[in-house]
Amino acid sequence: MRVLIYSDIHANWEALQAVHEATAGRYDASVCLGDVVGYGANPNEAVAWVRATTPDVIRGNHDRACAGLHGLEWFNQSAATAARWTHARLEEGATDWLNALPAGPVRWHELSLVHGSPLNEDEYLIDPAQAAGVFAATTEASHWFGHTHVQGGFALADDQVIVLGDARPEADSEGGHTVLQLQPGARYLLNPGSVGQPRDGDWRAAFALLDEEAGRVEFHRIPYDLSSAQARILEAGLPPQLARRLAKGK
Ligand code: ZN
């Protein structure tokens, strides 16, 4: 089965549309690792697309915050402002759907799906020492996570944790992707990157395609209509830095 794995859309409609167009007909199932809303200007459209295409969605911290205003004390000012803005504009059905999303980790086929870390849904998995702790505390061969907005993740092979941060395609390779061939006996913590607000220095929308039988992961980056997404944020009266950071991928 070919699986589209994506995360951290953050109500960026232009980025989500680019992913939609780039992946049409290329997958049999899709899973979403959370943060459908928050920061961007099109929360209802993002929720509608994810609901229509992806039965299995894990909740993110921004989904919780925007739907129920839980956990705002952990947010910086612009994130909290965006969460309140989103909360006020979410349609009732969208709010109910967000509130009902399950916390990770959730088992899906042979995969473990989570927003932050398998040990704590709100933890940012950033460094190899954290990854080593997760590998030691769990038994699954593959976890998929989001939350950091950094494409790649970690592998455990021969008791060594390897950072897969170089998994990203080159910034100038339009529509390009890199391939990770999963090795028997190795274990993985994999991050598809963020669709709508990348923070790994590459502004392009990120997602991953997994071929389960072949054990093959493609990490994709694709350009999207950045200026339109920025204009919508500014027109909505959301904090301007949320528009600026999209161009930097930070
Ligand atoms: Zn996020």
mmCIF file of all heavy atoms in Angstrom, residues 8 10 35 39 61-62 115 147 149 199, ligand 1:
data_model
loop_
_atom_site.group_PDB
_atom_site.id
_atom_site.type_symbol
_atom_site.label_atom_id
_atom_site.label_comp_id
_atom_site.label_asym_id
_atom_site.label_seq_id
_atom_site.Cartn_x
_atom_site.Cartn_y
_atom_site.Cartn_z
ATOM 1 N N ASP A 8 1.070 19.018 10.286
ATOM 2 C CA ASP A 8 1.288 20.454 10.503
ATOM 3 C C ASP A 8 0.910 21.311 9.291
ATOM 4 O O ASP A 8 1.723 22.052 8.742
ATOM 5 C CB ASP A 8 2.748 20.686 10.945
ATOM 6 C CG ASP A 8 3.021 20.002 12.282
ATOM 7 O OD1 ASP A 8 2.650 20.572 13.324
ATOM 8 O OD2 ASP A 8 3.542 18.865 12.282
ATOM 9 N N HIS A 10 -1.478 23.650 9.457
ATOM 10 C CA HIS A 10 -1.618 24.987 10.031
ATOM 11 C C HIS A 10 -2.438 25.939 9.154
ATOM 12 O O HIS A 10 -2.056 27.101 8.957
ATOM 13 C CB HIS A 10 -0.239 25.568 10.370
ATOM 14 C CG HIS A 10 0.340 24.942 11.608
ATOM 15 N ND1 HIS A 10 -0.175 25.176 12.855
ATOM 16 C CD2 HIS A 10 1.351 24.061 11.792
ATOM 17 C CE1 HIS A 10 0.510 24.477 13.753
ATOM 18 N NE2 HIS A 10 1.430 23.776 13.138
ATOM 19 N N ASP A 35 -2.087 19.129 13.974
ATOM 20 C CA ASP A 35 -1.962 20.561 13.701
ATOM 21 C C ASP A 35 -2.512 20.897 12.309
ATOM 22 O O ASP A 35 -1.824 21.449 11.455
ATOM 23 C CB ASP A 35 -0.523 21.072 13.884
ATOM 24 C CG ASP A 35 -0.199 21.357 15.351
ATOM 25 O OD1 ASP A 35 -1.067 21.119 16.222
ATOM 26 O OD2 ASP A 35 0.925 21.825 15.631
ATOM 27 N N TYR A 39 -2.263 29.340 13.152
ATOM 28 C CA TYR A 39 -1.315 30.185 12.416
ATOM 29 C C TYR A 39 -1.892 30.696 11.095
ATOM 30 O O TYR A 39 -1.798 31.875 10.807
ATOM 31 C CB TYR A 39 0.017 29.482 12.115
ATOM 32 C CG TYR A 39 0.867 29.137 13.292
ATOM 33 C CD1 TYR A 39 1.442 27.869 13.417
ATOM 34 C CD2 TYR A 39 1.149 30.082 14.282
ATOM 35 C CE1 TYR A 39 2.251 27.544 14.496
ATOM 36 C CE2 TYR A 39 1.959 29.760 15.368
ATOM 37 C CZ TYR A 39 2.503 28.481 15.463
ATOM 38 O OH TYR A 39 3.302 28.151 16.522
ATOM 39 N N ASN A 61 -1.217 19.886 19.211
ATOM 40 C CA ASN A 61 -1.444 20.862 20.281
ATOM 41 C C ASN A 61 -2.218 22.077 19.783
ATOM 42 O O ASN A 61 -3.034 22.644 20.524
ATOM 43 C CB ASN A 61 -0.118 21.274 20.931
ATOM 44 C CG ASN A 61 0.916 21.778 19.937
ATOM 45 O OD1 ASN A 61 1.064 21.233 18.843
ATOM 46 N ND2 ASN A 61 1.641 22.813 20.307
ATOM 47 N N HIS A 62 -2.003 22.480 18.526
ATOM 48 C CA HIS A 62 -2.760 23.621 18.000
ATOM 49 C C HIS A 62 -4.212 23.242 17.718
ATOM 50 O O HIS A 62 -5.101 24.087 17.836
ATOM 51 C CB HIS A 62 -2.092 24.169 16.738
ATOM 52 C CG HIS A 62 -0.855 24.949 17.029
ATOM 53 N ND1 HIS A 62 -0.835 26.327 17.070
ATOM 54 C CD2 HIS A 62 0.397 24.538 17.331
ATOM 55 C CE1 HIS A 62 0.392 26.730 17.379
ATOM 56 N NE2 HIS A 62 1.159 25.668 17.540
ATOM 57 N N HIS A 115 1.746 12.992 17.322
ATOM 58 C CA HIS A 115 2.069 14.366 16.939
ATOM 59 C C HIS A 115 3.473 14.747 17.408
ATOM 60 O O HIS A 115 4.306 15.153 16.617
ATOM 61 C CB HIS A 115 1.030 15.339 17.508
ATOM 62 C CG HIS A 115 1.272 16.759 17.053
ATOM 63 N ND1 HIS A 115 1.196 17.139 15.730
ATOM 64 C CD2 HIS A 115 1.617 17.883 17.741
ATOM 65 C CE1 HIS A 115 1.484 18.429 15.624
ATOM 66 N NE2 HIS A 115 1.747 18.900 16.820
ATOM 67 N N HIS A 147 5.129 17.934 14.620
ATOM 68 C CA HIS A 147 5.288 18.888 15.727
ATOM 69 C C HIS A 147 6.515 19.792 15.602
ATOM 70 O O HIS A 147 6.439 20.974 15.899
ATOM 71 C CB HIS A 147 5.327 18.115 17.048
ATOM 72 C CG HIS A 147 5.073 18.919 18.285
ATOM 73 N ND1 HIS A 147 4.198 19.978 18.357
ATOM 74 C CD2 HIS A 147 5.591 18.782 19.542
ATOM 75 C CE1 HIS A 147 4.190 20.450 19.607
ATOM 76 N NE2 HIS A 147 5.029 19.757 20.327
ATOM 77 N N HIS A 149 8.120 20.432 12.763
ATOM 78 C CA HIS A 149 8.114 21.041 11.435
ATOM 79 C C HIS A 149 9.469 20.878 10.736
ATOM 80 O O HIS A 149 9.851 21.702 9.907
ATOM 81 C CB HIS A 149 7.742 22.531 11.492
ATOM 82 C CG HIS A 149 6.399 22.806 12.088
ATOM 83 N ND1 HIS A 149 5.707 23.988 11.844
ATOM 84 C CD2 HIS A 149 5.596 22.093 12.925
ATOM 85 C CE1 HIS A 149 4.556 23.968 12.509
ATOM 86 N NE2 HIS A 149 4.475 22.840 13.177
ATOM 87 N N ARG A 199 9.910 24.638 9.246
ATOM 88 C CA ARG A 199 10.874 25.359 10.088
ATOM 89 C C ARG A 199 12.274 24.778 9.937
ATOM 90 O O ARG A 199 13.084 24.864 10.839
ATOM 91 C CB ARG A 199 10.454 25.275 11.557
ATOM 92 C CG ARG A 199 9.175 26.013 11.862
ATOM 93 C CD ARG A 199 8.781 25.894 13.319
ATOM 94 N NE ARG A 199 7.397 26.301 13.501
ATOM 95 C CZ ARG A 199 6.658 25.947 14.538
ATOM 96 N NH1 ARG A 199 7.173 25.193 15.494
ATOM 97 N NH2 ARG A 199 5.393 26.347 14.632
HETATM 98 ZN ZN ZN B 1 2.641 22.365 14.349
#
